[in-house]
Amino acid sequence: MHVALRALIRAEKLGLSEVLDQDLRLAESVLNVGDFVEGVRALLIEKNTTPTWRYATIEDVPTEEIDKVFDYRSNWHR
């Protein structure tokens, strides 16, 4: 939720190509984070609704983790 909110706020000030670039970088960066993999494992593989997230609540997510997602640079980046 932190990432989505920050992305939306940033997108208001970006042009279309910049928004698409941001979305590509964000999509690629979260694939490397354990929570995406954990969500896929729980929902699609184990077919349960009890994933084990890295942080118990959204308030526990450190700002530094969110910053890392936005600092990611895609290999597709020009």
Side-chain angles (χ1 to χ4, degrees):
M1 289 181 61
H2 286 295
V3 171
L5 179 58
R6 188 185 295 186
L8 288 171
I9 291 169
R10 287 178 50 146
E12 289 181 323
K13 301 174 187 119
L14 301 174
L16 178 59
S17 66
E18 294 165 316
V19 170
L20 294 174
D21 180 62
Q22 172 182 264
D23 289 352
L24 173 64
R25 289 185 295 111
L26 294 176
E28 285 184 359
S29 69
V30 299
L31 289 175
N32 297 322
V33 178
D35 281 350
F36 177 79
V37 174
E38 175 60 15
V40 169
R41 182 207 59 77
L43 184 63
L44 300 178
I45 297 170
E46 300 294 328
K47 310 259 192 261
N48 66 43
T49 56
T50 56
T52 305
W53 304 119
R54 290 185 304 153
Y55 303 102
T57 69
I58 194 165
E59 293 81 14
D60 293 339
V61 178
T63 303
E64 295 80 20
E65 289 293 315
I66 307 307
D67 293 340
K68 280 191 227 175
V69 173
F70 282 89
D71 289 341
Y72 175 84
R73 292 294 171 242
S74 171
N75 292 329
W76 294 95
H77 198 287
R78 3 177 174 104

